[in-house]
Amino acid sequence: MALNTFNEVVNYLDSFSYSDKSKAPGIIRENRLERMENLLKWIKNPEKDLKIIHLAGSKGKGSTATYLAILLKNKGYKTGLYLSPHVSDYRERFTLAGRFFDDDFLIETANLLKNLLIGFTNPAEYGSPLPSTFEIYTAYAYLLFKESGCTHAVIETGIGGRLDATNTTNSIASVILPIELEHTSILGDTIEKIAYEKSKIIKEHQVVFSASQATEALNVIKTEAVNNNSKFYYFDDEIINFHSETLIKGEHLKFQLKAGSSFDLQLSVFGRKQAENIALAILIASKLNFLTACGINELQRIIIKGRFMPLKINNVPVVIDVAHTKNSILSTASTFYSIYKNDVTVIFGALEGKDVTHMLETLISNFDNLIISQPGTFKKSNIEDIYSSALKLNTEKNILLIKDNKDALDTALKLNKPILITGSFYLAGPMLDIMEEHYGIKC
């Protein structure tokens, strides 16, 4: 039966799932590269028509990927952008440098994929006979990009890198964003182990870029680049005189490339981390020869959904940010504090497997009012444990547990203080939906 609406497309893609949930998470059988290679071969390898920049890391992948896609587009390349997860709309996952494909084309390509998959099955030794959800979304993105005539694509990994479904392409460049402790049950319990997993997106004789890293991560990434005879560019070596300042209208960024070019930019995004991501994207574009003045101008105007996104409800400032690691929460809290000080309300929710303790420590030490709320239901989260942990850290702050997101937002608004909503993509999305549906805020 043909798919007739985009909602039907989403339901079809989501009907593929991980069938072997009895296995320990560390096995990651459903993400084995042989499975993805088998799937792509069956649908005639649409990814082989694309020049791909591949990104891995713990935080900043989506933002940096978006900036790179914008710079490629402004050079004149038709550029696909593949991100995960989305904030509030599935179409965010696969775009033309941030612009949604027409629904008719999304539906048409989904029907093409569905027809191509007739008769497909994985060999028994590959685990589940059908693709996983992430595998099918990745294949769909490649097919969209090929069918729309893209020459380039910017691809963000899902989890890790070594066994990620996106790690089946011969990319022209790899980009490693900052590495932190995350998904430790899958990727390992040390920075070195996680860096090993993520650095495995590096391919032979390609160009490799890295954001600022902890020494233990940097050593692993450098070794992987050397072992693959790849040219390596490191943020701290290539970008000098870096300075960013948070202003009410966005981040003011100044820096110089070691090669000589200087930049003085007034950004619309907020926070030092976003300024670093933009500087890294400019470095990459400079080295790969797709940096243009019009691209830089667009970088100064862009606001990315869910990344320190400033809104207002009844004149109460509300900022939504998808920070979900120790350092990203620290950066978000620092940026927010610099604008609003500590007399604010934070709504926080996080998934299982995240470094909740350190995130809570940062939030509680900076802000007086904290509401713990449910980050969706798609992935596991124990907000009662998060609430208990918060109380153990500080019994004097105003800490509440309000599971329902709308109730949490309504309670925060009654306090009539600036509101920060953070901790997870899966909290940001429902909150944006609530703002649109109940408060008429265009997000």
Side-chain angles (χ1 to χ4, degrees), residues 73-110:
K73 178 193 72 174
N74 279 278
K75 182 67 174 178
Y77 301 125
K78 193 168 188 180
T79 303
L81 174 63
Y82 180 52
L83 306 175
S84 63
H86 60 279
V87 178
S88 59
D89 191 317
Y90 275 88
R91 284 165 288 202
E92 297 166 23
R93 291 174 176 250
F94 20 75
T95 64
L96 286 170
R99 180 173 64 83
F100 286 175
F101 288 100
D102 291 339
D103 276 10
D104 286 348
F105 180 70
L106 291 168
I107 296 165
E108 177 187 339
T109 308

Side-chain angles (χ1 to χ4, degrees), residues 14-30 127-128 132-133 377-380:
D14 280 349
S15 70
F16 294 84
S17 62
Y18 301 94
S19 62
D20 195 358
K21 295 183 177 181
S22 64
K23 294 186 180 297
I27 294 174
I28 333 176
R29 282 193 62 85
E30 279 72 19
S128 173
S132 70
T133 307
T377 57
F378 183 71
K379 292 190 175 182
K380 289 183 179 179

Side-chain angles (χ1 to χ4, degrees), residues 323 347-351 371-375 381 383 386 422-424 427:
I347 303 176
F348 175 78
L351 301 180
I371 299 174
I372 310 299
S373 194
Q374 182 72 37
S381 173
I383 59 172
I386 294 174
T422 192
S424 175
L427 178 63

